Amino acid sequence: MKNILITGGAGFIGSNFVRHLLRLAPDLNLVTLDALTYAGSLENLRGLPDEARHTFVQGDICDAALVERILREHQVDTIVHFAAESHVDRSILGPAPFVQTNIVGTFTLLEAARQAWDGKFEGKRFHHVSTDEVFGSLGPGDPAFEETTPYEPRSPYSASKASSDHLVRAYFHTYGLPVTLTNCSNNYGPYQFPEKLIPLMILNALAGKPLPVYGDGKQVRDWLYVEDHCEAIRLVLERGRAGETYNVGGGNQPHNIDVVTELCVLLDELRPGPGPYAGLIIHVPDRPGHDRRYAMNIGRIQSELGWSPRHDLKRGLRATVRWYLENEAWVRAVSAQNDYQAWMDKNYTKRGAK
Ligand code: NAD
Ligand code: TYD
């Protein structure tokens, strides 16, 4: 591994991964390719450690000529593919970009890698970052998802990610492209765009706005602190077996309502408001087709690569709340940009939570 292309490196997990590698892998050169959609921002890449080893290119992963040029000019030997449309609610209101970026974009990258590396696959790696949502929804007593659990995606987002996973595996079996995949659970932590559950609740609470919990709030997610996720990906790049998939999860499965309540308690302690923040919680109409429960069996990555999450949920949530409190300039910049306010109106006004 010497020259790494990181797609989606200006997004939430991608930018954390760029920082992670610049800190921990001193011999690597990094190129980020990112279209800077509403979800991506150069604010996420401000103040990088050892910035000289990082190059940013603004562009679309569906642009085959651009991808081909980057692979050639930077002599890329490793691709870590984060770029995606990633928000389930947006996929319900407008699925087309999900098909384009997640399926066509992944195909474009695979095809460019196959051609650029031209059968000389020694020392090359295509790593695809995917999601637990491809496995569908668990009932309360069902066992956690394993790497071999059959796919059953239920939203346009998860269906498009499932398609991309199938393409990645097909390139391994058909062409021998050295791929690895990680399917991870819900991430949280610094630099998450504030339309996902945890940052949305923190920022709404601080603004004295309602905290909109979908349905009964008894849905379950397996929360993974983003830095733990970055470490898992780095280990898979270093020691994962080509053709293999690794599940990555946080090892906790609270109800959504408990996560929101815990955030309120943390804010009551760290930035007390006029009354307890939990008083702002409201229940709003549910997401259509809302997956009830996700849980990850992480036995494979634990036994093969020795990875386990380092942050339990309590510690991770505290670190996250602190980060959002300490980074007001970032919050102001990303909430002012792109279509953040338009999205908040579109998704929440009809739910009676504005
Ligand atoms: P994000 O939405 O924060 O960032 C996505 C990035 O991709 C943005 O910077 C955006 O500008 C860029 N992008 C989008 N379309 C592009 C295109 N056509 N060309 C180039 N760049 C484009 O997403 P995230 O939360 O950082 O997720 C990263 C990856 O991890 C995604 O593949 C997602 O499916 C997967 N994942 C995320 C989570 C989670 O909880 N966030 C959980 C499981 C899996
Ligand atoms: P989200 O952060 O959108 O991630 P995902 O849909 O990929 O799991 O949502 C996490 C959970 O929180 C999910 O069960 C939906 C729920 N949720 C709310 O209850 N209210 C909200 O305003 C949002 C954005 C999410």
Side-chain angles (χ1 to χ4, degrees):
M1 239 184 346
K2 191 154 174 30
N3 301 313
I4 301 202
L5 170 62
I6 297 174
T7 72
F12 162 47
I13 307 173
S15 63
N16 276 281
F17 189 68
V18 166
R19 279 198 165 70
H20 181 87
L21 282 191
L22 288 173
R23 260 201 340 268
L24 295 176
D27 300 330
L28 294 180
N29 300 307
L30 277 57
V31 186
T32 289
L33 171 61
D34 196 299
L36 298 181
T37 68
Y38 79 92
S41 172
L42 291 179
E43 296 292 326
N44 297 348
L45 295 171
R46 249 183 215 276
L48 292 178
D50 205 357
E51 198 144 16
R53 287 192 288 122
H54 178 254
T55 306
F56 178 78
V57 179
Q58 181 170 0
D60 192 326
I61 56 166
C62 301
D63 181 343
L66 173 65
V67 174
E68 186 273 324
R69 183 167 61 74
I70 293 171
L71 295 184
R72 192 168 27 82
E73 283 181 2
H74 293 268
Q75 295 178 23
V76 169
D77 51 47
T78 304
I79 299 172
V80 185
H81 177 31
F82 292 97
E85 288 291 336
S86 72
H87 191 180
V88 176
D89 289 323
R90 286 191 186 246
S91 83
I92 294 168
L93 295 179
F98 288 74
V99 172
Q100 183 63 22
T101 286
N102 299 1
I103 305 178
V104 178
T106 301
F107 164 72
T108 307
L109 288 171
L110 287 164
E111 194 52 17
R114 179 170 85 90
Q115 293 189 8
W117 296 339
D118 194 22
K120 295 175 206 67
F121 293 147
E122 187 67 32
K124 309 289 197 304
R125 177 62 66 85
F126 187 109
H127 182 76
H128 179 60
V129 179
S130 191
T131 167
D132 57 0
E133 304 195 21
V134 298
F135 298 120
S137 179
L138 293 170
D142 291 338
F145 300 129
E146 297 183 14
E147 287 82 355
T148 51
T149 301
Y151 276 25
E152 201 183 350
R154 292 155 36 102
S155 72
Y157 164 66
S158 53
S160 66
K161 290 297 289 187
S163 306
S164 66
D165 293 9
H166 291 319
L167 280 169
V168 172
R169 293 195 182 100
Y171 269 66
F172 172 72
H173 291 294
T174 307
Y175 304 113
L177 194 77
V179 309
T180 41
L181 295 89
T182 40
N183 288 75
C184 70
S185 55
N186 285 63
N187 284 225
Y188 68 103
Y191 299 100
Q192 186 164 32
F193 191 67
E195 66 181 19
K196 300 281 176 79
L197 180 76
I198 287 174
L200 178 103
M201 294 297 169
I202 297 171
L203 298 188
N204 273 19
L206 291 172
K209 292 184 181 165
L211 307 182
V213 172
Y214 294 167
D216 63 2
K218 295 286 174 64
Q219 303 82 8
V220 173
R221 298 294 183 264
D222 183 338
W223 292 99
L224 171 65
Y225 193 65
V226 65
E227 182 63 19
D228 289 336
H229 183 198
C230 292
E231 186 176 29
I233 296 173
R234 182 170 52 80
L235 286 179
V236 170
L237 288 178
E238 287 170 0
R239 289 195 274 121
R241 286 179 290 137
E244 199 55 274
T245 299
Y246 298 87
N247 279 356
V248 186
N252 55 71
Q253 288 105 36
H255 290 135
N256 286 347
I257 186 70
D258 297 329
V259 173
V260 176
T261 306
E262 175 69 16
L263 290 170
C264 291
V265 170
L266 283 164
L267 284 167
D268 287 339
E269 177 197 328
L270 298 171
R271 181 69 60 85
Y277 287 104
L280 295 170
I281 295 175
I282 59 168
H283 289 263
V284 300
D286 209 347
R287 172 188 282 173
H290 197 171
D291 289 344
R292 196 69 181 164
R293 173 175 166 249
Y294 306 137
M296 288 301 246
N297 179 324
I298 57 170
R300 178 178 289 171
I301 192 166
Q302 281 182 313
S303 62
E304 270 190 35
L305 305 182
W307 177 89
S308 284
R310 292 178 197 270
H311 293 76
D312 66 24
L313 187 60
K314 248 186 150 49
R315 189 169 148 232
L317 286 180
R318 178 174 284 273
T320 304
V321 170
R322 277 190 188 284
W323 189 87
Y324 279 87
L325 290 175
E326 285 164 9
N327 287 274
E328 279 174 17
W330 180 90
V331 168
R332 261 197 313 279
V334 302
S335 347
Q337 78 182 17
N338 303 326
D339 68 346
Y340 180 64
Q341 279 313 323
W343 167 256
M344 297 299 282
D345 292 343
K346 194 167 164 189
N347 194 44
Y348 293 101
T349 306
K350 69 178 183 329
R351 288 187 154 102
K354 256 286 288 143

